[in-house]
Amino acid sequence: MNLIVAIFLPILAALFVPLLFKKVKQLHTGWFVLLIPLSLFFFYASFIQRVANGDIFSSTFHWVQSLQLSFISYIDGLSLLFSLLITGIGSLVVLYSIFYLDKSKEQLHNFYVYLLLFMSAMLGVVQSDNVITLYLFWELTSISSFLLIAYWFNRDASRFGALKSMMITVFGGLLMLGGFVLLSMMGDTYSIRELIAQAPQLAQHDYFTWALVLILFGAFTKSAQGPFYIWLPDAMEAPTPVSAYLHSATMVKAGIYLVARFTPIFAVSELWIWLVTGTGLFTLAWCSFFALKQTDLKGILAFSTVSQLGLIMALLGAGAMSYHVDGAVETVFKYAAFAAIFHLINHATFKGSLFMIVGIIDHETGTRDIQKLGGLMSLMPISFTVAMIGSLSMAGVPLFNGFLSKEMFLTAMLSIKEFGLFSFDTFGVLFPILAWVASVFTFAYSLYFVTHTFFGKYKPEQLPKKAHEAPIAMLVSPIVLAVLVVTIFFIPNVVATYFIKPAVLAIQPFLYSDVSQIDIHISAWHGFNKELWMTLGIFAVGTLLIVTLKKWQHVYDRVPAGFNKMYDAVMQFSDVGMNRLARLYMTGSNQTYLLYMLASFVVLVLGTLFTQGGFVFDASNVAPIRVYDIVLVAVLVCGTIIALVTKSRLTSIIGLGVVGYSVAMFFVLFNAPDLALTQLVIETISVALFLLCFYHLPKNSRTEKRMRFKLSRFAVSFGVGATVTIVAIAAQSQKMMTSISEYYKETVYSLAGGGNIVNVILVDYRGFDTLFEIAVLAIAGLGIFAMIKLRLGEGKEKKQIENK
Amino acid sequence: MKTNDVLLQFTAKLVFFMIFLFSVHIFMAGHYTPGGGFVGGLLAASAIVLLILAFDLKTVQAGFRINYRIMVAIGLVLALGTAAYPMLDGKPFFTHYFDYFDLPFFGETSLHTAMLFDAGVYLVVVGVTMTIIQSIGEDE
């Protein structure tokens, strides 16, 4: 239970944030908020030792028990690692934000409420065992991220970025929900653990591929993979602490988490391996290439984040291959999942610190434009050191943790071509090449980032502010992260024992039964092998690229950045295009709508009648036709035709009267005196009312004009008439039961005490209907009364005119 | 210019009673012969309309000081009350009671609660028809 409380602790604390902001003016609200992630961090840290031993913790809170919906917090290696990242980096970001955001100028209560909301949501995503609550928290991260991106809501770019990220992540989230529902239908449970336990049966199911693709949509949109990366660069309009926290260290890793978590279920599928590895590598290469084009510091980091996420994703895909092979090759693919988790930790540390440094530069110089910056090394020595550590780690230079994970990445990619299945032996050779090229660009943009900001000439005239070093308190968080970057390089195996191995056990539960079986040792020096030569090549070519950057940068002008255009086109289409489409058929004219309705009536009824074989013609029940009937029908048809084709409205009304009276005559002929009486009186009254309407027509519309002939109207009218006739004939020809009227005939006197069956039915057998029919009449009468007597609109109009 | 329609007005007065009595007859006889509350109500309303045609709206309104909207309400209450009363008696909604009585002037007659319900229908129909015609007639 206390694990569930821990998830919801930030949301509960968020309730008090506005109060503290309003009441405690002298102290920055962030200090109170800082307590929450910090205490949660220590709480989760207390699990490290036990989880490293292979223990698993879980607690349950039943939400809707009858639907099997419950909040199940499940702490294993993977979720503990993520929880520590969320709370640890969360604490540092809150600390940083205290100095980044001004307490008197900013809407701090909004900021910290959104941030705490996000923290709860993220903890919920990584700890949930129930797919439905996982989805709940997933959407909560989308919503809180939306709110945080649009934190400065009076800027256009913020609102655009927020909307874009919302559209894309919610699109993916909804598809993912579909995948979850399919998955829970397949396994008849919502629990991820139980689903994993029955993974082999699930793979045989018809829905398997659907669930796989849909869940991957969720993961790829959230983690900005493939064509869905476009929201992340636009989300950089958020305050820098938000970018550092959400868009580098935590939320964008939710998709990584999802892929890692569902690997045991889907890894058996070829499609999964191809999609995850392929999309990851594509994103890695594509975005590392585009990072060099950016001039905004946060833009560089955004593209860099996306490409690094692609790297992790590709490693996870390669890790899934270990389900298919065994023997000597297997160890290599086990290696991939290990490397993925390792790089995830490394990326969170160096990218967080880099974002914070960018925030400091922005704060102290007033700009993030790399073309205006330069020569800040001597002015901001501490920031420079931290940025250098972060960038070199990102570039994969020794002495920093990025080097270790990059080496492992190259190893994993090199071994892909050994993987014999699923035609990887032919295409597999592309993977290391792509990975190498991407690494070259990664190296180049990492150096580009540092050199163009801190080296070169100081250009004070272009800077809005005079540059100087940030206050030391603001530097604490990036320094802590930079220290971690270096420390991890020297003690990688400690990190591996406590964090990576338990997480790998969660990703590949079928390969190991215990943490101790994972026998991977990270070493900084692994001899003169292929990877080392590749790394040296990366350094050489990367340096060359960065030196000659100016000469080849015009290449970018020729490469189309199609995905943003595609997004804009889709949005344009759904806004303007759909509007136009709607205007095309929503004409506003009742005649058009009537045509739609009647035409669909004809199509539906006739279609059903003939596809279901409902049309039968049987003349055996037909009564003999008398002369009166023929004469009356002739009169009736004449009346109808007159009403339709006449030029004058008066004739039309009289034609209708003829129809009405001949119907009354039919009632006489068919022995329905009550109906005949009522029909006569009602027809008289309605003809009188028609004449009244006619008399009050405006002068200019009283011109005598024949109704114009339109083929579409004629066709639809003819269709409706034919349909009704056919249905009537079919219904008459196949009466399935005898009428219940015998009962009425027998009991009308004995039970109801009457002689006129019609009236007795109306007031006794079926008096209920009559009761409401007279209610209808009363409403109609009062409605007419109200329409005529209440002239509220007219009065207002007059007043308006008077005011003029 | 208003013509003095002595002939029309005299005939209307006479015919009004004939139509009105016929409407009452049709209403009363509805349970055994064609007719009933609905047609009866329409005929009664048409009798009043005849008077309106012969005289004018104001004169007729001064003659019958009836608020037809209240008449509608009374009719509805009467119908609903007749239908609802059996529930107090522990019987289903819309149970009718009837029996045969030997009345002094009419001889053996059946009395039926359906008649009360039909009276409600009658009042509603007269009320609604007259409301419509009056409001349209008063409209300028």
Side-chain angles (χ1 to χ4, degrees):
Chain A
M1 191 63 208
N2 57 353
L3 285 174
I4 308 276
V5 175
I7 291 180
F8 282 101
L9 187 68
I11 283 189
L12 294 177
L15 294 176
F16 297 98
V17 166
L19 192 74
L20 286 169
F21 178 72
K22 291 264 158 66
K23 294 288 168 197
V24 191
K25 289 274 183 205
Q26 60 275 30
L27 202 59
H28 196 284
T29 319
W31 290 111
F32 301 109
V33 176
L34 183 60
L35 296 175
I36 307 295
L38 213 56
S39 49
L40 280 176
F41 179 74
F42 286 115
F43 173 69
Y44 288 122
S46 69
F47 288 95
I48 294 176
Q49 184 65 49
R50 283 173 286 170
V51 170
N53 291 337
D55 290 353
I56 280 164
F57 301 87
S58 106
S59 62
T60 306
F61 170 74
H62 292 295
W63 179 25
V64 187
Q65 214 159 0
S66 53
L67 299 176
Q68 301 171 27
L69 292 187
S70 24
F71 289 99
I72 304 173
S73 164
Y74 178 67
I75 299 258
D76 61 356
L78 190 63
S79 43
L80 182 67
L81 172 68
F82 272 92
S83 303
L84 283 170
L85 278 180
I86 292 157
T87 50
I89 296 185
S91 314
L92 294 174
V93 161
V94 171
L95 180 67
Y96 175 79
S97 72
I98 292 172
F99 301 97
Y100 187 84
L101 295 172
D102 192 280
K103 77 169 180 236
S104 52
K105 285 181 201 150
E106 300 284 355
Q107 305 272 311
L108 289 179
H109 51 312
N110 292 350
F111 182 79
Y112 286 113
V113 167
Y114 301 159
L115 200 71
L116 288 171
L117 204 64
F118 170 77
M119 204 177 287
S120 267
M122 205 57 215
L123 286 174
V125 165
V126 299
Q127 292 180 14
S128 286
D129 185 49
N130 186 303
V131 286
I132 301 297
T133 56
L134 171 57
Y135 173 73
L136 176 84
F137 287 118
W138 185 276
E139 290 299 15
L140 196 56
T141 64
S142 295
I143 291 164
S144 50
S145 159
F146 169 78
L147 291 169
L148 281 167
I149 295 169
Y151 172 67
W152 287 307
F153 52 80
N154 38 17
R155 295 185 191 168
D156 279 342
S158 297
R159 294 197 305 270
F160 175 76
L163 184 65
K164 193 171 183 178
S165 73
M166 181 81 152
M167 294 303 288
I168 294 178
T169 52
V170 169
F171 164 74
L174 286 173
L175 292 184
M176 185 187 80
L177 176 65
F180 283 166
V181 171
L182 285 180
L183 203 58
S184 50
M185 278 162 68
M186 283 153 65
D188 199 27
T189 172
Y190 288 121
S191 159
I192 298 172
R193 267 174 301 166
E194 288 169 27
L195 286 169
I196 289 176
Q198 39 179 309
Q201 294 96 284
L202 294 184
Q204 311 300 323
H205 205 281
D206 294 343
Y207 294 156
F208 183 74
T209 312
W210 281 104
L212 186 159
V213 171
L214 289 175
I215 288 176
L216 272 188
F217 259 111
F220 286 168
T221 50
K222 199 69 153 185
S223 280
Q225 294 299 297
F228 305 116
Y229 75 86
I230 50 170
W231 67 266
L232 194 65
D234 283 307
M236 289 300 131
E237 291 301 321
T240 304
V242 173
S243 310
Y245 188 36
L246 273 69
H247 305 130
S248 73
T250 53
M251 187 181 85
V252 289
K253 296 209 169 86
I256 303 275
Y257 168 80
L258 199 74
V259 170
R261 183 54 93 196
F262 283 93
T263 294
I265 298 178
F266 292 118
V268 291
S269 153
E270 177 189 354
L271 188 65
W272 174 269
I273 293 173
W274 267 108
L275 275 180
V276 176
T277 319
T279 314
L281 265 185
F282 163 74
T283 315
L284 168 64
W286 180 266
C287 290
S288 63
F289 175 63
F290 271 98
L292 267 174
K293 189 195 178 186
Q294 308 303 314
T295 52
D296 179 11
L297 290 180
K298 277 174 100 175
I300 303 177
L301 290 183
F303 275 94
S304 138
T305 303
V306 176
S307 74
Q308 302 276 316
L309 291 171
L311 187 155
I312 300 172
M313 203 61 102
L315 281 174
L316 282 176
M321 292 175 189
S322 62
Y323 284 83
H324 298 276
V325 285
D326 43 29
V329 207
E330 185 193 14
T331 50
V332 183
F333 296 116
K334 283 178 183 172
Y335 213 65
F338 188 91
I341 297 297
F342 191 36
H343 195 71
L344 183 120
I345 300 173
N346 295 342
H347 177 252
T349 53
F350 67 67
K351 195 52 64 64
S353 71
L354 284 177
F355 264 111
M356 290 176 187
I357 291 300
V358 168
I360 287 172
I361 294 170
D362 188 15
H363 215 254
E364 306 307 335
T365 64
T367 183
R368 297 195 313 246
D369 190 342
I370 204 161
Q371 288 159 334
K372 295 181 183 167
L373 293 166
L376 294 178
M377 180 166 46
S378 54
L379 291 164
M380 307 171 77
I382 307 176
S383 309
F384 165 67
T385 317
V386 176
M388 203 68 199
I389 293 172
S391 303
L392 291 180
S393 174
M394 182 157 75
V397 174
L399 286 183
F400 307 104
N401 57 8
F403 171 71
L404 300 175
S405 42
K406 182 141 294 179
E407 293 299 283
M408 297 173 93
F409 168 62
L410 292 177
T411 314
M413 287 301 128
L414 277 173
S415 55
I416 276 188
K417 64 176 189 296
E418 318 283 327
F419 184 66
L421 296 166
F422 312 147
S423 61
F424 267 94
D425 38 359
T426 45
F427 293 105
V429 72
L430 282 175
F431 285 68
I433 295 171
L434 211 55
W436 186 80
V437 172
S439 301
V440 168
F441 279 105
T442 307
F443 184 83
Y445 72 66
S446 302
L447 287 197
Y448 168 68
F449 172 75
V450 191
T451 52
H452 282 68
T453 315
F454 291 100
F455 294 99
K457 229 178 87 208
Y458 178 50
K459 297 170 249 180
E461 71 285 349
Q462 290 193 13
L463 298 181
K465 283 188 197 168
K466 199 176 164 326
H468 57 84
E469 185 59 279
I472 191 71
M474 202 166 172
L475 284 163
V476 169
S477 300
I479 288 175
V480 170
L481 289 172
V483 167
L484 274 176
V485 169
V486 182
T487 321
I488 292 175
F489 177 78
F490 288 105
I491 51 158
N493 291 308
V494 179
V495 178
T497 316
Y498 285 106
F499 301 109
I500 304 176
K501 286 180 183 174
V504 169
L505 184 68
I507 302 178
Q508 301 176 320
F510 297 135
L511 296 182
Y512 314 101
S513 57
D514 201 346
V515 190
S516 55
Q517 288 185 327
I518 308 173
D519 47 355
I520 297 173
H521 189 80
I522 312 171
S523 53
W525 176 251
H526 41 71
F528 287 103
N529 52 11
K530 224 186 263 175
E531 291 91 322
L532 190 72
W533 294 117
M534 280 174 86
T535 308
L536 290 178
I538 290 168
F539 292 168
V541 181
T543 319
L544 193 71
L545 269 184
I546 199 75
V547 170
T548 58
L549 180 63
K550 284 227 164 57
K551 294 206 174 103
W552 61 273
Q553 198 154 31
H554 61 269
V555 171
Y556 283 112
D557 302 334
R558 281 181 218 149
V559 182
F563 297 125
N564 274 312
K565 280 216 185 85
M566 219 138 58
Y567 171 82
D568 290 339
V570 168
M571 294 305 277
Q572 176 79 9
F573 173 73
S574 52
D575 185 12
V576 180
M578 285 301 176
N579 217 333
R580 214 173 281 159
L581 186 70
R583 233 175 285 150
L584 211 63
Y585 66 90
M586 302 296 281
T587 55
S589 146
N590 280 339
Q591 295 172 354
T592 323
Y593 301 150
L594 266 178
L595 272 187
Y596 297 157
M597 287 193 274
L598 294 175
S600 40
F601 164 79
V602 172
V603 170
L604 289 176
V605 172
L606 276 191
T608 318
L609 196 68
F610 285 104
T611 51
Q612 306 295 317
F615 183 72
V616 177
F617 180 67
D618 174 15
S620 61
N621 276 333
V622 177
I625 302 171
R626 295 164 294 180
V627 184
Y628 307 117
D629 302 342
I630 297 170
V631 173
L632 259 183
V633 165
V635 172
L636 197 139
V637 169
C638 283
T640 314
I641 291 174
I642 287 170
L644 279 177
V645 301
T646 181
K647 245 166 83 176
S648 118
R649 288 195 165 91
L650 204 57
T651 324
S652 218
I653 294 171
I654 292 167
L656 276 182
V658 170
V659 172
Y661 288 124
S662 38
V663 168
M665 288 310 290
F666 266 117
F667 288 145
V668 173
L669 279 183
F670 291 117
N671 301 327
D674 294 88
L675 289 183
L677 269 176
T678 314
Q679 173 69 23
L680 276 175
V681 182
I682 286 290
E683 190 58 38
T684 313
I685 290 176
S686 50
V687 166
L689 287 177
F690 271 127
L691 287 173
L692 189 78
C693 292
F694 171 76
Y695 181 73
H696 285 288
L697 275 179
K699 283 271 182 305
N700 51 358
S701 66
R702 246 194 257 180
T703 48
E704 310 262 289
K705 215 165 56 181
R706 198 181 295 273
M707 194 164 56
R708 267 186 305 139
F709 179 81
K710 271 196 190 163
L711 190 64
S712 58
R713 289 190 204 167
F714 176 77
V716 170
S717 324
F718 184 79
V720 171
T723 308
V724 175
T725 312
I726 288 172
V727 169
I729 290 172
Q732 160 69 24
S733 301
Q734 38 193 341
K735 278 188 178 161
M736 309 234 172
M737 288 176 244
T738 51
S739 166
I740 59 163
S741 54
E742 286 304 315
Y743 170 77
Y744 292 144
K745 271 189 214 164
E746 284 160 17
T747 58
V748 66
Y749 190 78
S750 56
L751 286 180
N756 177 357
I757 296 186
V758 176
N759 204 37
V760 171
I761 289 176
L762 282 180
V763 299
D764 197 343
Y765 293 123
R766 312 288 299 272
F768 226 133
D769 299 350
T770 313
L771 185 61
F772 289 104
E773 272 153 24
I774 57 173
V776 167
L777 264 186
I779 291 167
L782 293 181
I784 289 170
F785 180 74
M787 276 198 301
I788 289 171
K789 299 284 168 182
L790 284 174
R791 294 277 167 92
L792 298 173
E794 268 180 20
K796 258 183 206 161
E797 256 169 48
K798 270 178 198 160
K799 249 186 197 168
Q800 277 171 349
I801 294 162
E802 277 164 16
N803 284 345
K804 275 177 191 170
Chain B
M1 192 184 91
K2 196 156 190 240
T3 45
N4 196 1
D5 291 324
V6 184
L7 211 58
L8 176 65
Q9 290 179 352
F10 178 76
T11 323
K13 277 184 206 164
L14 214 68
V15 173
F16 167 76
F17 287 103
M18 292 159 103
I19 302 180
F20 187 72
L21 284 176
F22 181 58
S23 100
V24 173
H25 165 75
I26 261 192
F27 160 65
M28 294 290 227
H31 223 56
Y32 291 97
T33 55
F38 198 84
V39 188
L42 283 177
L43 280 176
S46 62
I48 303 173
V49 171
L50 180 65
L51 282 186
I52 294 176
L53 289 176
F55 296 89
D56 65 26
L57 198 59
K58 290 223 175 73
T59 321
V60 177
Q61 272 172 343
F64 300 107
R65 300 191 158 277
I66 301 169
N67 185 338
Y68 292 106
R69 296 187 301 287
I70 292 179
M71 192 187 228
V72 173
I74 292 172
L76 280 177
V77 169
L78 189 61
L80 190 65
T82 315
Y85 171 76
M87 292 206 294
L88 301 178
D89 201 16
K91 291 194 172 119
F93 188 65
F94 242 114
T95 313
H96 280 306
Y97 302 89
F98 70 96
D99 211 342
Y100 296 88
F101 299 95
D102 205 8
L103 295 179
F105 183 67
F106 295 96
E108 192 189 318
T109 316
S110 74
L111 288 182
H112 199 306
T113 48
M115 160 97 170
L116 287 175
F117 181 77
D118 229 8
V121 176
Y122 186 93
L123 289 179
V124 170
V125 170
V126 173
V128 167
T129 317
M130 289 317 295
T131 307
I132 294 173
I133 287 166
Q134 262 193 10
S135 11
I136 295 176
E138 281 171 357
D139 186 41
E140 277 116 38

